[in-house]
Amino acid sequence: MLKLSLCFLILFFISVHQVLAVTDPRLFPNNKFGINTLSPEAEIDEVAELVNTNGDWGYVVVTIKKSERDALRWQTFLNTTRDKHLIPILRLATEFDINNNWQQPGENDTKEWAEFLSKLQFPTANRYIQIYNEVNRAKEWGGEIDPASYALELRNTIDLLKEKSDEFFILNAPLDLALANSADSLSADEFFAKMNEAVPGIFDKLDGWASHSYPNPDFSSPPDKLGRTGIDGYKWELFEISKFTKKNLPIFITETGWRRGNESSIGLNEDIISDYYEKAFRNVWSDPNVVTVAPFVLGYPEPLFHEFSFKTSDKNYYKYFTTLKNFQKTKGDPSRINNTSDLTVRGPANILMNESKDIIVKFRNQGNYIWNFKENLDIRVISENIYAYEVYWNKEEYLPQEEVTAIVKIKSIAQGVKPAEVQIVSDNVILDQKTITITSDNSFSLFIQQVKDFADQIAS
């Protein structure tokens, strides 16, 4: 009885988490290595090389501006992350104003983001969205410090995204933890308090906590310098927001990294940075509550942030790229939905014994998996006296939301009215099924039935 109860609970959990809510990534095998990239297209192979070597399903953080809401472009990117086994975190952004500040969101932005993002198919069950960036810095919020307006924008964005799908996994805008109070900045603890004052319970609405745990001051402190401005700054943040929420939020370090120096700037050499990254991942970011650590940035050729780049100006790599690439990682296995919809089965009502007939099966890929009939997709016909002996597919591979059409060749080996269960199977799991009924006769019985039917027609 105990085993049956446990099986029921497991099946219930699986069926619910597939369609009703986000899942906690800490409950699944997780590769926490990630990286920021400026390009959703050009660097994707390098991202995969860095975060997935010696592991699988690492993370990539990419910014999407409101002017870049091109569904084809971003769906192509998300399809590529699925192919490369990368978990994308999309960071929402507005546009620069005439003073080179990031604009505050406009009146319709929340609705437009929800409409746009809900049309995209993500590679995992969780659809990770970060709502803006470092908003305790005036330049990131239209030149103003306004925690109340950010809290309202965050609440409204969460509400509209969750109306579209509970699979949206919402992260806050990480704050700059090194900032003090000034005319154009606000310390993080005061910012948190003013957010909750404006929208009580705002932190309860989050699914995860995004942090910029940089090694300050000057992005050059050693990894054992911890605390608010260290590489475990997220712990200080969690303590501060514990005043407003009791949620045990998973941690997403969506920016961090050491500044590389040269003859004219403060910073570290690549050997020291390489050593710091290795120590950080082994001794600090090994924290099981940390889901991902995504340094900034894979490639930044311009002077503004080139000192944080993992790529040299001539498109080679600094030593710390190789250090992180060669690090032993976890083979991630994130929660993904594998499901069908719109199953239809059309087959003959009558067949002759040992004669081939066709069943036409149609259904839709309603999940995160790419199906391939050579690898992870099958159609089975389960019946006492009817069997399938061949399946013809209309294509080899099916992306999410694509329709599958298949012709299943069947034969009967006995007479009678026989039910047949047509099953859609992926990775040996039955995703959907439908029962059809087929009458099987030999040729003599069918001839007699046809004569009887003809006689009945004449008599009537």
Side-chain angles (χ1 to χ4, degrees), residues 31-36 51 59 251-256 277 281 285-286 290-295 324:
N31 172 12
K32 65 179 60 183
F33 284 76
I35 194 71
N36 276 261
V51 304
Y59 291 78
I251 310 305
F252 295 74
I253 300 177
T254 55
E255 277 191 30
T256 190
Y277 268 119
F281 271 100
W285 296 329
S286 53
V290 174
V291 173
T292 186
V293 180
L324 294 192

Side-chain angles (χ1 to χ4, degrees), residues 61-323:
V61 179
V62 61
T63 299
I64 173 171
K65 296 190 292 186
K66 59 187 290 185
S67 62
E68 298 176 329
R69 291 189 291 226
D70 180 322
L72 177 60
R73 180 192 185 195
W74 287 96
Q75 189 57 65
T76 300
F77 165 70
L78 292 172
N79 290 346
T80 303
T81 62
R82 183 183 291 108
D83 291 341
K84 300 292 183 181
H85 284 200
L86 296 169
I87 302 172
I89 300 174
L90 301 186
R91 184 177 108 187
L92 306 189
T94 54
E95 299 292 333
F96 289 110
D97 62 20
I98 58 174
N99 297 315
N100 207 34
N101 299 319
W102 285 103
Q103 301 169 359
Q104 290 189 27
E107 181 179 353
N108 295 320
D109 278 352
T110 300
K111 180 179 179 181
E112 290 172 359
W113 277 119
E115 291 290 336
F116 174 74
L117 294 170
S118 65
K119 295 175 183 176
L120 300 177
Q121 303 299 318
F122 285 67
T124 59
N126 289 343
R127 311 181 193 184
Y128 293 102
I129 306 294
Q130 178 180 303
I131 312 297
Y132 303 114
N133 180 68
E134 292 194 351
V135 289
N136 64 329
R137 179 187 295 276
K139 290 187 69 67
E140 296 280 349
W141 200 248
E144 298 180 359
I145 299 297
D146 194 348
S149 71
Y150 174 69
L152 288 167
E153 190 70 23
L154 179 61
R155 180 196 67 187
N156 295 339
T157 304
I158 292 173
D159 288 347
L160 284 181
L161 284 173
K162 294 290 188 177
E163 282 181 16
K164 296 292 185 181
S165 173
D166 275 347
E167 293 161 13
F168 281 111
F169 192 107
I170 308 301
L171 304 171
N172 56 291
L175 300 190
D176 187 332
L177 300 183
L179 293 179
N181 294 338
S182 71
D184 57 3
S185 65
L186 189 65
S187 66
D189 51 346
E190 290 195 34
F191 201 94
F192 297 149
K194 290 181 182 296
M195 282 179 63
N196 193 70
E197 181 181 340
V199 183
I202 183 61
F203 298 106
D204 288 326
K205 299 177 76 67
L206 295 171
D207 299 306
W209 185 254
S211 177
H212 284 180
S213 294
Y214 274 104
N216 281 306
D218 297 323
F219 309 100
S220 57
S221 292
D224 57 359
K225 190 270 183 185
L226 305 176
R228 173 176 177 168
T229 57
I231 62 169
D232 72 338
Y234 65 87
K235 292 181 179 179
W236 175 86
E237 292 177 286
L238 291 183
F239 173 77
E240 289 298 320
I241 67 167
S242 69
K243 302 168 185 177
F244 314 115
T245 181
K246 300 305 179 186
K247 292 186 78 171
N248 176 22
L249 294 170
I251 310 305
F252 295 74
I253 300 177
T254 55
E255 277 191 30
T256 190
W258 282 269
R259 171 187 282 171
R260 189 185 60 262
N262 54 43
E263 296 80 4
S264 59
S265 67
I266 299 172
L268 308 170
N269 66 48
E270 61 181 300
D271 291 316
I272 293 176
I273 294 175
S274 180
D275 180 60
Y276 280 3
Y277 268 119
E278 182 160 0
K279 289 177 178 177
F281 271 100
R282 292 195 186 282
N283 303 326
V284 182
W285 296 329
S286 53
D287 181 345
N289 286 317
V290 174
V291 173
T292 186
V293 180
F296 182 84
V297 57
L298 178 60
Y300 205 107
E302 302 301 322
L304 179 63
F305 292 120
H306 182 64
E307 56 202 357
F308 292 96
S309 178
F310 278 54
K311 293 169 67 174
T312 68
S313 55
D314 57 359
K315 299 183 180 181
N316 290 313
Y317 301 113
Y318 290 104
K319 183 177 180 179
Y320 39 94
F321 178 97
T322 304
T323 296

Side-chain angles (χ1 to χ4, degrees), residues 2-19:
L2 178 60
K3 289 183 178 180
L4 288 174
S5 299
L6 287 173
C7 289
F8 173 78
L9 288 173
I10 291 169
L11 289 171
F12 176 78
F13 172 77
I14 291 171
S15 64
V16 169
H17 96 258
Q18 283 190 341
V19 295

Side-chain angles (χ1 to χ4, degrees), residues 355-361 373 377-381 386-394 405-412 422-423:
E355 182 179 77
S356 175
K357 287 290 184 179
D358 294 345
I359 295 176
I360 299 176
V361 182
F373 72 81
L377 184 64
D378 195 12
I379 297 176
R380 298 174 184 168
V381 177
I386 296 171
Y387 69 97
Y389 65 93
E390 202 160 11
V391 181
Y392 295 92
W393 306 85
N394 64 321
T405 300
I407 298 174
V408 182
K409 297 286 188 181
I410 61 169
K411 284 186 179 180
S412 168
V422 180
Q423 299 177 343

